Amino acid sequence: MPGIFGLFLEQQNPETFRDFITPSELLNEHKSEKYLVGRSCLDKLDKDRFIETKSGVTICFEGINLSDDINNKEDFFTDYENKGIDFVTELRGSYSGFIWDENKKEIFVFNDHLASRNIFYFFDPKLGFVFSSEMKSISKLLKELKIPFTLDEQAVYMMCLYGFIFRDHTYVNEIKKLNYSSILHYDYKNQELDVKQHFTYSAKKIDVSIDEAVNEVNRLFEKSVSKIWSKAANYGKDQLSFLSGGM
């Protein structure tokens, strides 16, 4: 599927990566002499999705923004300037994105609370860093550049036993998947990478009655649906929701 991408491999032509990106209606890029970032996406939801560069900082948001206080691209730039990368912990919705700060020679890649939009990445301290919404884009690039990669047998067992691959595993040992609620930071001046997870799910017992619990679930459900429907209204679209008997 189309999405976001970036190439920070040393001693490699950044144009090489473009050949492995799935084409879509829009292809927006920002590049320097050595590095490349961008997005390949449908020409929809332009009030939410964007990529823009100001004063050496490139911000890309790909998805649906349901945040209370961060409503447009100007808010993104203002909050990044005032709060640093921690402002992305306040985002809500279904999204992935990145912030490339050429002034500080670093890039941040982030996702939502469910990792609803995949982000895969490759990192080697000697070679550099690549990320993409598509795993196949990275694996094809590694093959083209003759960078060796191996099968992650644990991932195969997970899929066979559970029908799902957990944590940051993929079928390729050298390619990882960004876990939910995570901020990946790559310092390409020092070629250092770290990943911080700013939120985790946990079970917590609360002392409420059955009726109180049902009412609270209903309140949260209505709040979520209302927020999503209001987003559709912003684009002048009709709303349609599917209800599942399994919920």
Side-chain angles (χ1 to χ4, degrees), residues 120-145:
F120 301 95
Y121 64 94
F122 164 84
F123 169 68
D124 183 283
K126 295 180 181 179
L127 300 176
F129 168 64
V130 184
F131 72 90
S132 174
S133 299
E134 297 181 302
M135 180 177 163
K136 67 178 182 180
S137 300
I138 303 178
S139 61
K140 287 180 179 179
L141 177 68
L142 297 183
K143 186 176 181 180
E144 174 71 17
L145 299 178

PDB file of all heavy atoms in Angstrom, residues 120-145:
ATOM      1  N   PHE A 120       7.710   0.170   8.428  1.00  0.00           N
ATOM      2  CA  PHE A 120       8.815  -0.779   8.489  1.00  0.00           C
ATOM      3  C   PHE A 120      10.123  -0.011   8.341  1.00  0.00           C
ATOM      4  O   PHE A 120      10.157   1.040   7.685  1.00  0.00           O
ATOM      5  CB  PHE A 120       8.686  -1.828   7.387  1.00  0.00           C
ATOM      6  CG  PHE A 120       7.407  -2.617   7.444  1.00  0.00           C
ATOM      7  CD1 PHE A 120       6.313  -2.244   6.682  1.00  0.00           C
ATOM      8  CD2 PHE A 120       7.296  -3.721   8.270  1.00  0.00           C
ATOM      9  CE1 PHE A 120       5.123  -2.959   6.732  1.00  0.00           C
ATOM     10  CE2 PHE A 120       6.116  -4.452   8.342  1.00  0.00           C
ATOM     11  CZ  PHE A 120       5.035  -4.066   7.570  1.00  0.00           C
ATOM     12  N   TYR A 121      11.194  -0.564   8.916  1.00  0.00           N
ATOM     13  CA  TYR A 121      12.468   0.143   8.800  1.00  0.00           C
ATOM     14  C   TYR A 121      13.649  -0.820   8.836  1.00  0.00           C
ATOM     15  O   TYR A 121      13.576  -1.923   9.385  1.00  0.00           O
ATOM     16  CB  TYR A 121      12.609   1.200   9.898  1.00  0.00           C
ATOM     17  CG  TYR A 121      12.658   0.678  11.316  1.00  0.00           C
ATOM     18  CD1 TYR A 121      13.881   0.431  11.949  1.00  0.00           C
ATOM     19  CD2 TYR A 121      11.491   0.444  12.032  1.00  0.00           C
ATOM     20  CE1 TYR A 121      13.930  -0.041  13.243  1.00  0.00           C
ATOM     21  CE2 TYR A 121      11.528  -0.024  13.340  1.00  0.00           C
ATOM     22  CZ  TYR A 121      12.755  -0.260  13.946  1.00  0.00           C
ATOM     23  OH  TYR A 121      12.801  -0.736  15.237  1.00  0.00           O
ATOM     24  N   PHE A 122      14.726  -0.377   8.214  1.00  0.00           N
ATOM     25  CA  PHE A 122      16.006  -1.074   8.205  1.00  0.00           C
ATOM     26  C   PHE A 122      17.050  -0.122   8.757  1.00  0.00           C
ATOM     27  O   PHE A 122      17.071   1.065   8.399  1.00  0.00           O
ATOM     28  CB  PHE A 122      16.386  -1.485   6.782  1.00  0.00           C
ATOM     29  CG  PHE A 122      17.840  -1.872   6.620  1.00  0.00           C
ATOM     30  CD1 PHE A 122      18.265  -3.156   6.919  1.00  0.00           C
ATOM     31  CD2 PHE A 122      18.775  -0.938   6.174  1.00  0.00           C
ATOM     32  CE1 PHE A 122      19.612  -3.508   6.769  1.00  0.00           C
ATOM     33  CE2 PHE A 122      20.111  -1.282   6.024  1.00  0.00           C
ATOM     34  CZ  PHE A 122      20.528  -2.569   6.322  1.00  0.00           C
ATOM     35  N   PHE A 123      17.916  -0.641   9.643  1.00  0.00           N
ATOM     36  CA  PHE A 123      18.989   0.188  10.194  1.00  0.00           C
ATOM     37  C   PHE A 123      20.247  -0.628  10.350  1.00  0.00           C
ATOM     38  O   PHE A 123      20.218  -1.755  10.865  1.00  0.00           O
ATOM     39  CB  PHE A 123      18.589   0.768  11.555  1.00  0.00           C
ATOM     40  CG  PHE A 123      19.737   1.414  12.284  1.00  0.00           C
ATOM     41  CD1 PHE A 123      20.316   2.580  11.807  1.00  0.00           C
ATOM     42  CD2 PHE A 123      20.261   0.831  13.436  1.00  0.00           C
ATOM     43  CE1 PHE A 123      21.389   3.164  12.471  1.00  0.00           C
ATOM     44  CE2 PHE A 123      21.324   1.405  14.110  1.00  0.00           C
ATOM     45  CZ  PHE A 123      21.892   2.575  13.622  1.00  0.00           C
ATOM     46  N   ASP A 124      21.335  -0.065   9.900  1.00  0.00           N
ATOM     47  CA  ASP A 124      22.658  -0.634  10.110  1.00  0.00           C
ATOM     48  C   ASP A 124      23.602   0.531  10.419  1.00  0.00           C
ATOM     49  O   ASP A 124      23.629   1.513   9.654  1.00  0.00           O
ATOM     50  CB  ASP A 124      23.127  -1.382   8.860  1.00  0.00           C
ATOM     51  CG  ASP A 124      24.473  -2.050   9.064  1.00  0.00           C
ATOM     52  OD1 ASP A 124      25.498  -1.336   9.030  1.00  0.00           O
ATOM     53  OD2 ASP A 124      24.512  -3.279   9.246  1.00  0.00           O
ATOM     54  N   PRO A 125      24.356   0.467  11.524  1.00  0.00           N
ATOM     55  CA  PRO A 125      25.217   1.598  11.912  1.00  0.00           C
ATOM     56  C   PRO A 125      26.207   2.013  10.829  1.00  0.00           C
ATOM     57  O   PRO A 125      26.594   3.186  10.772  1.00  0.00           O
ATOM     58  CB  PRO A 125      25.946   1.069  13.147  1.00  0.00           C
ATOM     59  CG  PRO A 125      25.089  -0.024  13.675  1.00  0.00           C
ATOM     60  CD  PRO A 125      24.425  -0.639  12.481  1.00  0.00           C
ATOM     61  N   LYS A 126      26.584   1.076   9.977  1.00  0.00           N
ATOM     62  CA  LYS A 126      27.553   1.399   8.929  1.00  0.00           C
ATOM     63  C   LYS A 126      26.885   1.843   7.627  1.00  0.00           C
ATOM     64  O   LYS A 126      27.474   2.594   6.846  1.00  0.00           O
ATOM     65  CB  LYS A 126      28.443   0.185   8.651  1.00  0.00           C
ATOM     66  CG  LYS A 126      29.324  -0.219   9.829  1.00  0.00           C
ATOM     67  CD  LYS A 126      30.169  -1.432   9.473  1.00  0.00           C
ATOM     68  CE  LYS A 126      31.042  -1.852  10.659  1.00  0.00           C
ATOM     69  NZ  LYS A 126      31.863  -3.062  10.339  1.00  0.00           N
ATOM     70  N   LEU A 127      25.668   1.381   7.407  1.00  0.00           N
ATOM     71  CA  LEU A 127      25.001   1.640   6.131  1.00  0.00           C
ATOM     72  C   LEU A 127      23.997   2.777   6.208  1.00  0.00           C
ATOM     73  O   LEU A 127      23.848   3.540   5.250  1.00  0.00           O
ATOM     74  CB  LEU A 127      24.307   0.369   5.642  1.00  0.00           C
ATOM     75  CG  LEU A 127      25.216  -0.843   5.404  1.00  0.00           C
ATOM     76  CD1 LEU A 127      24.378  -2.061   5.023  1.00  0.00           C
ATOM     77  CD2 LEU A 127      26.244  -0.551   4.329  1.00  0.00           C
ATOM     78  N   GLY A 128      23.280   2.879   7.328  1.00  0.00           N
ATOM     79  CA  GLY A 128      22.291   3.928   7.469  1.00  0.00           C
ATOM     80  C   GLY A 128      20.900   3.405   7.761  1.00  0.00           C
ATOM     81  O   GLY A 128      20.737   2.311   8.325  1.00  0.00           O
ATOM     82  N   PHE A 129      19.891   4.135   7.323  1.00  0.00           N
ATOM     83  CA  PHE A 129      18.507   3.924   7.757  1.00  0.00           C
ATOM     84  C   PHE A 129      17.552   4.109   6.586  1.00  0.00           C
ATOM     85  O   PHE A 129      17.717   5.012   5.760  1.00  0.00           O
ATOM     86  CB  PHE A 129      18.203   4.936   8.869  1.00  0.00           C
ATOM     87  CG  PHE A 129      16.760   5.061   9.256  1.00  0.00           C
ATOM     88  CD1 PHE A 129      16.070   3.997   9.819  1.00  0.00           C
ATOM     89  CD2 PHE A 129      16.085   6.264   9.090  1.00  0.00           C
ATOM     90  CE1 PHE A 129      14.743   4.114  10.196  1.00  0.00           C
ATOM     91  CE2 PHE A 129      14.763   6.397   9.468  1.00  0.00           C
ATOM     92  CZ  PHE A 129      14.095   5.325  10.019  1.00  0.00           C
ATOM     93  N   VAL A 130      16.543   3.223   6.517  1.00  0.00           N
ATOM     94  CA  VAL A 130      15.470   3.321   5.524  1.00  0.00           C
ATOM     95  C   VAL A 130      14.149   3.043   6.220  1.00  0.00           C
ATOM     96  O   VAL A 130      14.078   2.164   7.087  1.00  0.00           O
ATOM     97  CB  VAL A 130      15.640   2.294   4.378  1.00  0.00           C
ATOM     98  CG1 VAL A 130      14.563   2.493   3.318  1.00  0.00           C
ATOM     99  CG2 VAL A 130      17.019   2.390   3.754  1.00  0.00           C
ATOM    100  N   PHE A 131      13.096   3.771   5.876  1.00  0.00           N
ATOM    101  CA  PHE A 131      11.769   3.436   6.393  1.00  0.00           C
ATOM    102  C   PHE A 131      10.742   3.547   5.281  1.00  0.00           C
ATOM    103  O   PHE A 131      10.926   4.270   4.298  1.00  0.00           O
ATOM    104  CB  PHE A 131      11.382   4.329   7.578  1.00  0.00           C
ATOM    105  CG  PHE A 131      11.062   5.756   7.211  1.00  0.00           C
ATOM    106  CD1 PHE A 131       9.772   6.144   6.882  1.00  0.00           C
ATOM    107  CD2 PHE A 131      12.064   6.725   7.207  1.00  0.00           C
ATOM    108  CE1 PHE A 131       9.472   7.464   6.551  1.00  0.00           C
ATOM    109  CE2 PHE A 131      11.787   8.046   6.885  1.00  0.00           C
ATOM    110  CZ  PHE A 131      10.485   8.417   6.552  1.00  0.00           C
ATOM    111  N   SER A 132       9.655   2.797   5.446  1.00  0.00           N
ATOM    112  CA  SER A 132       8.595   2.800   4.436  1.00  0.00           C
ATOM    113  C   SER A 132       7.335   2.193   5.018  1.00  0.00           C
ATOM    114  O   SER A 132       7.392   1.361   5.923  1.00  0.00           O
ATOM    115  CB  SER A 132       9.033   2.001   3.201  1.00  0.00           C
ATOM    116  OG  SER A 132       7.972   1.884   2.268  1.00  0.00           O
ATOM    117  N   SER A 133       6.192   2.596   4.481  1.00  0.00           N
ATOM    118  CA  SER A 133       4.917   1.965   4.837  1.00  0.00           C
ATOM    119  C   SER A 133       4.811   0.570   4.236  1.00  0.00           C
ATOM    120  O   SER A 133       3.953  -0.209   4.642  1.00  0.00           O
ATOM    121  CB  SER A 133       3.739   2.817   4.358  1.00  0.00           C
ATOM    122  OG  SER A 133       3.756   4.090   4.974  1.00  0.00           O
ATOM    123  N   GLU A 134       5.652   0.273   3.264  1.00  0.00           N
ATOM    124  CA  GLU A 134       5.643  -1.022   2.588  1.00  0.00           C
ATOM    125  C   GLU A 134       6.931  -1.777   2.881  1.00  0.00           C
ATOM    126  O   GLU A 134       8.020  -1.288   2.590  1.00  0.00           O
ATOM    127  CB  GLU A 134       5.521  -0.845   1.083  1.00  0.00           C
ATOM    128  CG  GLU A 134       4.240  -0.184   0.630  1.00  0.00           C
ATOM    129  CD  GLU A 134       4.191  -0.083  -0.879  1.00  0.00           C
ATOM    130  OE1 GLU A 134       5.100   0.525  -1.466  1.00  0.00           O
ATOM    131  OE2 GLU A 134       3.246  -0.627  -1.477  1.00  0.00           O
ATOM    132  N   MET A 135       6.800  -2.972   3.413  1.00  0.00           N
ATOM    133  CA  MET A 135       7.981  -3.784   3.672  1.00  0.00           C
ATOM    134  C   MET A 135       8.669  -4.189   2.375  1.00  0.00           C
ATOM    135  O   MET A 135       9.907  -4.253   2.289  1.00  0.00           O
ATOM    136  CB  MET A 135       7.587  -5.025   4.479  1.00  0.00           C
ATOM    137  CG  MET A 135       8.755  -5.933   4.804  1.00  0.00           C
ATOM    138  SD  MET A 135       8.247  -7.320   5.836  1.00  0.00           S
ATOM    139  CE  MET A 135       9.646  -8.418   5.607  1.00  0.00           C
ATOM    140  N   LYS A 136       7.878  -4.454   1.336  1.00  0.00           N
ATOM    141  CA  LYS A 136       8.461  -4.919   0.076  1.00  0.00           C
ATOM    142  C   LYS A 136       9.351  -3.864  -0.556  1.00  0.00           C
ATOM    143  O   LYS A 136      10.303  -4.203  -1.271  1.00  0.00           O
ATOM    144  CB  LYS A 136       7.367  -5.347  -0.899  1.00  0.00           C
ATOM    145  CG  LYS A 136       6.480  -4.223  -1.401  1.00  0.00           C
ATOM    146  CD  LYS A 136       5.443  -4.734  -2.406  1.00  0.00           C
ATOM    147  CE  LYS A 136       4.585  -3.599  -2.942  1.00  0.00           C
ATOM    148  NZ  LYS A 136       3.577  -4.078  -3.921  1.00  0.00           N
ATOM    149  N   SER A 137       9.070  -2.591  -0.308  1.00  0.00           N
ATOM    150  CA  SER A 137       9.929  -1.537  -0.849  1.00  0.00           C
ATOM    151  C   SER A 137      11.342  -1.645  -0.282  1.00  0.00           C
ATOM    152  O   SER A 137      12.327  -1.472  -0.998  1.00  0.00           O
ATOM    153  CB  SER A 137       9.348  -0.153  -0.515  1.00  0.00           C
ATOM    154  OG  SER A 137       8.074   0.009  -1.060  1.00  0.00           O
ATOM    155  N   ILE A 138      11.423  -1.957   1.017  1.00  0.00           N
ATOM    156  CA  ILE A 138      12.736  -2.066   1.658  1.00  0.00           C
ATOM    157  C   ILE A 138      13.443  -3.348   1.232  1.00  0.00           C
ATOM    158  O   ILE A 138      14.637  -3.335   0.922  1.00  0.00           O
ATOM    159  CB  ILE A 138      12.589  -2.006   3.186  1.00  0.00           C
ATOM    160  CG1 ILE A 138      11.881  -0.704   3.602  1.00  0.00           C
ATOM    161  CG2 ILE A 138      13.948  -2.112   3.857  1.00  0.00           C
ATOM    162  CD1 ILE A 138      11.640  -0.587   5.091  1.00  0.00           C
ATOM    163  N   SER A 139      12.716  -4.461   1.216  1.00  0.00           N
ATOM    164  CA  SER A 139      13.357  -5.733   0.844  1.00  0.00           C
ATOM    165  C   SER A 139      13.861  -5.697  -0.597  1.00  0.00           C
ATOM    166  O   SER A 139      14.946  -6.227  -0.903  1.00  0.00           O
ATOM    167  CB  SER A 139      12.391  -6.907   1.050  1.00  0.00           C
ATOM    168  OG  SER A 139      11.235  -6.771   0.249  1.00  0.00           O
ATOM    169  N   LYS A 140      13.105  -5.074  -1.499  1.00  0.00           N
ATOM    170  CA  LYS A 140      13.558  -4.953  -2.884  1.00  0.00           C
ATOM    171  C   LYS A 140      14.798  -4.066  -2.980  1.00  0.00           C
ATOM    172  O   LYS A 140      15.717  -4.345  -3.758  1.00  0.00           O
ATOM    173  CB  LYS A 140      12.439  -4.383  -3.757  1.00  0.00           C
ATOM    174  CG  LYS A 140      11.301  -5.342  -4.038  1.00  0.00           C
ATOM    175  CD  LYS A 140      10.245  -4.684  -4.916  1.00  0.00           C
ATOM    176  CE  LYS A 140       9.111  -5.651  -5.235  1.00  0.00           C
ATOM    177  NZ  LYS A 140       8.070  -5.013  -6.077  1.00  0.00           N
ATOM    178  N   LEU A 141      14.818  -3.012  -2.181  1.00  0.00           N
ATOM    179  CA  LEU A 141      15.983  -2.131  -2.168  1.00  0.00           C
ATOM    180  C   LEU A 141      17.220  -2.862  -1.665  1.00  0.00           C
ATOM    181  O   LEU A 141      18.303  -2.751  -2.249  1.00  0.00           O
ATOM    182  CB  LEU A 141      15.707  -0.908  -1.301  1.00  0.00           C
ATOM    183  CG  LEU A 141      16.877   0.073  -1.138  1.00  0.00           C
ATOM    184  CD1 LEU A 141      17.183   0.761  -2.471  1.00  0.00           C
ATOM    185  CD2 LEU A 141      16.590   1.097  -0.051  1.00  0.00           C
ATOM    186  N   LEU A 142      17.068  -3.609  -0.567  1.00  0.00           N
ATOM    187  CA  LEU A 142      18.204  -4.366  -0.028  1.00  0.00           C
ATOM    188  C   LEU A 142      18.727  -5.356  -1.065  1.00  0.00           C
ATOM    189  O   LEU A 142      19.942  -5.530  -1.222  1.00  0.00           O
ATOM    190  CB  LEU A 142      17.784  -5.102   1.246  1.00  0.00           C
ATOM    191  CG  LEU A 142      17.337  -4.238   2.435  1.00  0.00           C
ATOM    192  CD1 LEU A 142      17.029  -5.123   3.638  1.00  0.00           C
ATOM    193  CD2 LEU A 142      18.371  -3.193   2.789  1.00  0.00           C
ATOM    194  N   LYS A 143      17.810  -6.005  -1.755  1.00  0.00           N
ATOM    195  CA  LYS A 143      18.216  -6.965  -2.789  1.00  0.00           C
ATOM    196  C   LYS A 143      18.959  -6.261  -3.918  1.00  0.00           C
ATOM    197  O   LYS A 143      19.994  -6.751  -4.409  1.00  0.00           O
ATOM    198  CB  LYS A 143      16.982  -7.695  -3.326  1.00  0.00           C
ATOM    199  CG  LYS A 143      17.312  -8.814  -4.302  1.00  0.00           C
ATOM    200  CD  LYS A 143      16.041  -9.556  -4.704  1.00  0.00           C
ATOM    201  CE  LYS A 143      16.385 -10.706  -5.661  1.00  0.00           C
ATOM    202  NZ  LYS A 143      15.154 -11.450  -6.063  1.00  0.00           N
ATOM    203  N   GLU A 144      18.449  -5.103  -4.329  1.00  0.00           N
ATOM    204  CA  GLU A 144      19.083  -4.347  -5.409  1.00  0.00           C
ATOM    205  C   GLU A 144      20.494  -3.898  -5.015  1.00  0.00           C
ATOM    206  O   GLU A 144      21.414  -3.924  -5.844  1.00  0.00           O
ATOM    207  CB  GLU A 144      18.222  -3.118  -5.749  1.00  0.00           C
ATOM    208  CG  GLU A 144      18.835  -2.167  -6.747  1.00  0.00           C
ATOM    209  CD  GLU A 144      18.873  -2.733  -8.164  1.00  0.00           C
ATOM    210  OE1 GLU A 144      18.148  -3.714  -8.442  1.00  0.00           O
ATOM    211  OE2 GLU A 144      19.620  -2.182  -8.992  1.00  0.00           O
ATOM    212  N   LEU A 145      20.672  -3.500  -3.758  1.00  0.00           N
ATOM    213  CA  LEU A 145      21.968  -3.009  -3.290  1.00  0.00           C
ATOM    214  C   LEU A 145      22.871  -4.134  -2.787  1.00  0.00           C
ATOM    215  O   LEU A 145      23.952  -3.872  -2.276  1.00  0.00           O
ATOM    216  CB  LEU A 145      21.755  -1.975  -2.173  1.00  0.00           C
ATOM    217  CG  LEU A 145      20.968  -0.722  -2.561  1.00  0.00           C
ATOM    218  CD1 LEU A 145      20.779   0.196  -1.361  1.00  0.00           C
ATOM    219  CD2 LEU A 145      21.657   0.023  -3.706  1.00  0.00           C
TER     220      LEU A 145
END
